[in-house]
Amino acid sequence: LKPDAASAQSNFLVVGTVADLDNAGQILKDTEIGTIAVVRSPDNPQNLAAVDPTCTHNGCTTSWDSSSQSYNCPCHGAKFDAYGNGISGPSRKPLRTYDATIQGNSVLVRR
Ligand code: FES
């Protein structure tokens, strides 16, 4: 690897495999920078959407519901779309987002 490529790669965390993503419909991983959830973008499944699923209302952990294509909070019912945007409920502040990409069989998230 050239120095540039090596430093670029060190900015990414491997959070799972493409098989994990497609079998479960999501990746949910605790990492050194917090919990990260990754799904395929509803608008373009070639792309990925990654968020910190920690609810911006009061810190409960939202969970991805593939049928409604939303992150739903169990505490007070906030809903966020795949990109972390608030849909309904007490918090319209978006979830924290990350850049995610596929490289080979790995799903990578930028720190
Ligand atoms: Fe998520 Fe209140 S903590 S809706």
Side-chain angles (χ1 to χ4, degrees), residues 2-72:
K2 290 191 266 184
D4 283 359
S7 73
Q9 202 152 44
S10 70
N11 290 331
F12 283 89
L13 294 170
V14 177
V15 295
T17 67
V18 175
D20 294 337
L21 177 66
D22 289 331
N23 290 339
Q26 69 162 325
I27 289 172
L28 184 63
K29 174 103 173 152
D30 285 323
T31 76
E32 64 200 50
I33 57 169
T35 304
I36 297 177
V38 184
V39 299
R40 287 190 180 271
S41 297
D43 304 309
N44 178 355
Q46 303 299 319
N47 295 333
L48 302 180
V51 302
D52 179 338
T54 305
C55 185
T56 52
H57 178 230
N58 207 16
C60 294
T61 302
T62 66
S63 57
W64 177 248
D65 175 35
S66 57
S67 60
S68 64
Q69 297 276 291
S70 60
Y71 290 96
N72 300 340

